[in-house]
PDB file of all heavy atoms in Angstrom:
ATOM      1  N   ASP A  20       6.226 -10.516 -24.080  1.00 96.00           N
ATOM      2  CA  ASP A  20       7.514 -10.704 -23.415  1.00 96.00           C
ATOM      3  C   ASP A  20       8.626  -9.940 -24.126  1.00 96.00           C
ATOM      4  O   ASP A  20       9.470  -9.308 -23.489  1.00 96.00           O
ATOM      5  CB  ASP A  20       7.861 -12.192 -23.327  1.00 96.00           C
ATOM      6  CG  ASP A  20       6.918 -12.957 -22.402  1.00 96.00           C
ATOM      7  OD1 ASP A  20       6.140 -12.334 -21.660  1.00 96.00           O
ATOM      8  OD2 ASP A  20       6.954 -14.206 -22.453  1.00 96.00           O
ATOM      9  N   LEU A  21       8.642 -10.011 -25.448  1.00 95.00           N
ATOM     10  CA  LEU A  21       9.686  -9.320 -26.213  1.00 95.00           C
ATOM     11  C   LEU A  21       9.574  -7.800 -26.090  1.00 95.00           C
ATOM     12  O   LEU A  21      10.579  -7.109 -25.879  1.00 95.00           O
ATOM     13  CB  LEU A  21       9.630  -9.724 -27.691  1.00 95.00           C
ATOM     14  CG  LEU A  21      10.050 -11.153 -28.005  1.00 95.00           C
ATOM     15  CD1 LEU A  21       9.724 -11.500 -29.448  1.00 95.00           C
ATOM     16  CD2 LEU A  21      11.528 -11.364 -27.709  1.00 95.00           C
ATOM     17  N   LEU A  22       8.354  -7.259 -26.209  1.00 96.00           N
ATOM     18  CA  LEU A  22       8.184  -5.814 -26.105  1.00 96.00           C
ATOM     19  C   LEU A  22       8.464  -5.305 -24.694  1.00 96.00           C
ATOM     20  O   LEU A  22       9.040  -4.221 -24.523  1.00 96.00           O
ATOM     21  CB  LEU A  22       6.778  -5.407 -26.562  1.00 96.00           C
ATOM     22  CG  LEU A  22       6.514  -5.554 -28.061  1.00 96.00           C
ATOM     23  CD1 LEU A  22       5.069  -5.181 -28.382  1.00 96.00           C
ATOM     24  CD2 LEU A  22       7.483  -4.706 -28.885  1.00 96.00           C
ATOM     25  N   GLN A  23       8.062  -6.055 -23.671  1.00 96.00           N
ATOM     26  CA  GLN A  23       8.394  -5.644 -22.306  1.00 96.00           C
ATOM     27  C   GLN A  23       9.892  -5.559 -22.108  1.00 96.00           C
ATOM     28  O   GLN A  23      10.403  -4.593 -21.514  1.00 96.00           O
ATOM     29  CB  GLN A  23       7.799  -6.633 -21.283  1.00 96.00           C
ATOM     30  CG  GLN A  23       6.322  -6.482 -21.095  1.00 96.00           C
ATOM     31  CD  GLN A  23       5.743  -7.413 -20.044  1.00 96.00           C
ATOM     32  OE1 GLN A  23       4.784  -7.031 -19.414  1.00 96.00           O
ATOM     33  NE2 GLN A  23       6.287  -8.600 -19.823  1.00 96.00           N
ATOM     34  N   ALA A  24      10.624  -6.527 -22.638  1.00 97.00           N
ATOM     35  CA  ALA A  24      12.080  -6.529 -22.502  1.00 97.00           C
ATOM     36  C   ALA A  24      12.696  -5.383 -23.296  1.00 97.00           C
ATOM     37  O   ALA A  24      13.606  -4.699 -22.815  1.00 97.00           O
ATOM     38  CB  ALA A  24      12.651  -7.865 -22.969  1.00 97.00           C
ATOM     39  N   GLU A  25      12.187  -5.144 -24.487  1.00 96.00           N
ATOM     40  CA  GLU A  25      12.750  -4.087 -25.353  1.00 96.00           C
ATOM     41  C   GLU A  25      12.440  -2.702 -24.820  1.00 96.00           C
ATOM     42  O   GLU A  25      13.287  -1.827 -24.810  1.00 96.00           O
ATOM     43  CB  GLU A  25      12.186  -4.245 -26.778  1.00 96.00           C
ATOM     44  CG  GLU A  25      12.632  -3.193 -27.759  1.00 96.00           C
ATOM     45  CD  GLU A  25      14.105  -3.279 -28.145  1.00 96.00           C
ATOM     46  OE1 GLU A  25      14.722  -4.354 -27.964  1.00 96.00           O
ATOM     47  OE2 GLU A  25      14.646  -2.265 -28.609  1.00 96.00           O
ATOM     48  N   TRP A  26      11.203  -2.473 -24.380  1.00 94.00           N
ATOM     49  CA  TRP A  26      10.764  -1.148 -23.948  1.00 94.00           C
ATOM     50  C   TRP A  26      10.979  -0.888 -22.466  1.00 94.00           C
ATOM     51  O   TRP A  26      10.916   0.255 -22.014  1.00 94.00           O
ATOM     52  CB  TRP A  26       9.282  -0.945 -24.259  1.00 94.00           C
ATOM     53  CG  TRP A  26       8.947  -0.942 -25.726  1.00 94.00           C
ATOM     54  CD1 TRP A  26       9.823  -0.858 -26.782  1.00 94.00           C
ATOM     55  CD2 TRP A  26       7.653  -1.010 -26.304  1.00 94.00           C
ATOM     56  NE1 TRP A  26       9.131  -0.896 -27.964  1.00 94.00           N
ATOM     57  CE2 TRP A  26       7.800  -0.989 -27.704  1.00 94.00           C
ATOM     58  CE3 TRP A  26       6.372  -1.124 -25.770  1.00 94.00           C
ATOM     59  CZ2 TRP A  26       6.726  -1.050 -28.576  1.00 94.00           C
ATOM     60  CZ3 TRP A  26       5.301  -1.181 -26.640  1.00 94.00           C
ATOM     61  CH2 TRP A  26       5.465  -1.139 -28.023  1.00 94.00           C
ATOM     62  N   GLY A  27      11.204  -1.938 -21.693  1.00 94.00           N
ATOM     63  CA  GLY A  27      11.412  -1.760 -20.256  1.00 94.00           C
ATOM     64  C   GLY A  27      10.177  -1.294 -19.504  1.00 94.00           C
ATOM     65  O   GLY A  27      10.278  -0.530 -18.542  1.00 94.00           O
ATOM     66  N   VAL A  28       9.012  -1.734 -19.957  1.00 93.00           N
ATOM     67  CA  VAL A  28       7.748  -1.371 -19.299  1.00 93.00           C
ATOM     68  C   VAL A  28       6.919  -2.633 -19.086  1.00 93.00           C
ATOM     69  O   VAL A  28       7.170  -3.657 -19.706  1.00 93.00           O
ATOM     70  CB  VAL A  28       6.923  -0.355 -20.135  1.00 93.00           C
ATOM     71  CG1 VAL A  28       7.694   0.944 -20.314  1.00 93.00           C
ATOM     72  CG2 VAL A  28       6.513  -0.949 -21.476  1.00 93.00           C
ATOM     73  N   HIS A  29       5.880  -2.520 -18.233  1.00 94.00           N
ATOM     74  CA  HIS A  29       4.944  -3.633 -18.043  1.00 94.00           C
ATOM     75  C   HIS A  29       3.795  -3.443 -19.024  1.00 94.00           C
ATOM     76  O   HIS A  29       3.206  -2.359 -19.108  1.00 94.00           O
ATOM     77  CB  HIS A  29       4.401  -3.636 -16.617  1.00 94.00           C
ATOM     78  CG  HIS A  29       3.316  -4.629 -16.422  1.00 94.00           C
ATOM     79  ND1 HIS A  29       3.569  -5.987 -16.328  1.00 94.00           N
ATOM     80  CD2 HIS A  29       1.963  -4.482 -16.353  1.00 94.00           C
ATOM     81  CE1 HIS A  29       2.412  -6.626 -16.202  1.00 94.00           C
ATOM     82  NE2 HIS A  29       1.439  -5.725 -16.204  1.00 94.00           N
ATOM     83  N   LEU A  30       3.477  -4.490 -19.776  1.00 95.00           N
ATOM     84  CA  LEU A  30       2.342  -4.465 -20.693  1.00 95.00           C
ATOM     85  C   LEU A  30       1.218  -5.318 -20.127  1.00 95.00           C
ATOM     86  O   LEU A  30       1.450  -6.426 -19.660  1.00 95.00           O
ATOM     87  CB  LEU A  30       2.739  -4.999 -22.066  1.00 95.00           C
ATOM     88  CG  LEU A  30       3.787  -4.180 -22.825  1.00 95.00           C
ATOM     89  CD1 LEU A  30       4.177  -4.890 -24.120  1.00 95.00           C
ATOM     90  CD2 LEU A  30       3.262  -2.776 -23.124  1.00 95.00           C
ATOM     91  N   GLU A  31       0.026  -4.775 -20.173  1.00 91.00           N
ATOM     92  CA  GLU A  31      -1.145  -5.541 -19.762  1.00 91.00           C
ATOM     93  C   GLU A  31      -1.506  -6.526 -20.866  1.00 91.00           C
ATOM     94  O   GLU A  31      -1.445  -6.196 -22.045  1.00 91.00           O
ATOM     95  CB  GLU A  31      -2.347  -4.616 -19.574  1.00 91.00           C
ATOM     96  CG  GLU A  31      -2.212  -3.634 -18.447  1.00 91.00           C
ATOM     97  CD  GLU A  31      -3.428  -2.733 -18.399  1.00 91.00           C
ATOM     98  OE1 GLU A  31      -3.485  -1.788 -19.195  1.00 91.00           O
ATOM     99  OE2 GLU A  31      -4.312  -3.005 -17.553  1.00 91.00           O
ATOM    100  N   ALA A  32      -1.907  -7.723 -20.483  1.00 89.00           N
ATOM    101  CA  ALA A  32      -2.405  -8.720 -21.420  1.00 89.00           C
ATOM    102  C   ALA A  32      -3.821  -9.071 -20.989  1.00 89.00           C
ATOM    103  O   ALA A  32      -4.211  -8.872 -19.831  1.00 89.00           O
ATOM    104  CB  ALA A  32      -1.524  -9.955 -21.391  1.00 89.00           C
ATOM    105  N   PHE A  33      -4.593  -9.595 -21.920  1.00 84.00           N
ATOM    106  CA  PHE A  33      -5.991  -9.882 -21.659  1.00 84.00           C
ATOM    107  C   PHE A  33      -6.317 -11.301 -22.094  1.00 84.00           C
ATOM    108  O   PHE A  33      -5.593 -11.903 -22.877  1.00 84.00           O
ATOM    109  CB  PHE A  33      -6.878  -8.863 -22.389  1.00 84.00           C
ATOM    110  CG  PHE A  33      -6.537  -7.445 -22.022  1.00 84.00           C
ATOM    111  CD1 PHE A  33      -5.655  -6.712 -22.794  1.00 84.00           C
ATOM    112  CD2 PHE A  33      -7.053  -6.865 -20.879  1.00 84.00           C
ATOM    113  CE1 PHE A  33      -5.322  -5.403 -22.443  1.00 84.00           C
ATOM    114  CE2 PHE A  33      -6.721  -5.574 -20.517  1.00 84.00           C
ATOM    115  CZ  PHE A  33      -5.842  -4.848 -21.299  1.00 84.00           C
ATOM    116  N   LYS A  34      -7.435 -11.818 -21.621  1.00 77.00           N
ATOM    117  CA  LYS A  34      -7.825 -13.184 -21.959  1.00 77.00           C
ATOM    118  C   LYS A  34      -8.123 -13.287 -23.451  1.00 77.00           C
ATOM    119  O   LYS A  34      -8.383 -12.279 -24.127  1.00 77.00           O
ATOM    120  CB  LYS A  34      -9.048 -13.615 -21.144  1.00 77.00           C
ATOM    121  CG  LYS A  34     -10.322 -12.866 -21.494  1.00 77.00           C
ATOM    122  CD  LYS A  34     -11.464 -13.380 -20.656  1.00 77.00           C
ATOM    123  CE  LYS A  34     -12.768 -12.696 -21.098  1.00 77.00           C
ATOM    124  NZ  LYS A  34     -13.919 -13.263 -20.431  1.00 77.00           N
TER     125      LYS A  34
END
Side-chain angles (χ1 to χ4, degrees):
D20 293 348
L21 291 170
L22 290 177
Q23 284 183 149
E25 178 70 20
W26 295 348
V28 298
H29 173 75
L30 296 175
E31 294 177 280
F33 304 94
K34 68 179 184 173

